[in-house]
Amino acid sequence: MTKANLAAIPEYDGIADLPAEHASAVKPDCLIGAGVPVGEYAPAFVLPRGDKGSFAFAQLLGAPFVLHFYSGSEHSWLQQSACLNAIAPTLEVLGVGLVGIICADQSRVRHFETFRAGYPVLLDWEPKALVSRIYGFNRNKASPEMSATYLVDRRGVINWIAFDQANGRGDSVIILNAVRLHLSRPSPIDTSD
């Protein structure tokens, strides 16, 4: 197994390691007791893609990946997409996948073409939005006002979760530092080989 080149992650001024408050997620009060915690296997899913076809969770296994649940309005989605598009090339170089999931009413995603995301964006349609609910996110059957970003290892185990309620834009520096921290840790012994 080859290790990713951590030097490929750009250094940002004033950031050495992932701040302690982001090392593992602290769930907001509205999510306590819900969802999948760090250290557990991420739930599998198959969802329609925003462009065409469908996408299965199984396609992500074998390499670490970032799973981002969008929040807020269409304007907020564009901000979050810009953040994720900015880190997508770095994640690709490091061998880390990236997938976004929009949980919204079908009528709200009509102008999806404007996203121009450089990664798969999946659609978890309301009113059921089962995938986001299984992950413990968006339990109120409404388009969420809080985004959630999960870092999942190559085996499908959640290693890190971040929630962003303040502005819904995501934070590329925090995500990249979580990835860097994950990739710098030794891999667990895999007895399946």
Side-chain angles (χ1 to χ4, degrees):
M1 180 176 91
T2 58
K3 289 289 275 180
N5 179 4
L6 297 180
I9 299 178
E11 289 292 328
Y12 293 92
D13 292 336
I15 295 181
D17 282 315
L18 192 63
E21 67 268 18
H22 295 290
S24 65
V26 175
K27 283 190 176 184
D29 290 340
C30 64
L31 297 174
I32 301 239
V36 185
V38 169
E40 295 291 326
Y41 282 96
F45 58 80
V46 175
L47 286 172
R49 290 179 63 123
D51 47 7
K52 62 180 177 178
S54 61
F55 190 93
F57 177 84
Q59 292 174 251
L60 296 165
L61 296 176
F65 60 93
V66 172
L67 184 61
H68 179 78
F69 287 88
Y70 285 84
S71 66
S73 67
E74 291 84 348
H75 176 72
S76 179
W77 298 345
L78 291 172
Q79 290 177 325
Q80 292 168 71
S81 284
C83 166
L84 296 173
N85 274 327
I87 64 171
T90 302
L91 293 176
E92 186 176 355
V93 165
L94 294 170
V96 176
L98 173 60
V99 173
I101 297 178
I102 295 176
C103 174
D105 186 272
Q106 221 166 349
S107 63
R108 288 185 61 203
V109 192
R110 288 200 178 142
H111 304 293
F112 183 80
E113 308 79 46
T114 61
F115 276 71
R116 305 278 185 245
Y119 51 90
V121 177
L122 313 179
L123 308 171
D124 193 15
W125 299 123
E126 286 291 0
K128 293 182 181 177
L130 295 176
V131 172
S132 60
R133 286 188 187 38
I134 289 170
Y135 274 80
F137 176 69
N138 189 26
R139 297 240 181 218
N140 297 328
K141 296 188 177 185
S143 295
E145 293 304 320
M146 180 180 303
S147 64
T149 306
Y150 295 78
L151 175 60
V152 183
D153 73 13
R154 64 185 179 82
R155 298 171 301 133
V157 175
I158 296 174
N159 278 250
W160 175 81
I161 307 169
F163 298 95
D164 183 10
Q165 189 172 23
N167 51 26
R169 65 173 173 76
D171 193 328
S172 57
V173 173
I174 291 172
I175 294 169
L176 282 177
N177 279 319
V179 167
R180 189 161 115 219
L181 183 64
H182 171 71
L183 293 176
S184 69
R185 292 181 182 151
S187 296
I189 297 174
D190 187 355
T191 58
S192 65
D193 291 339

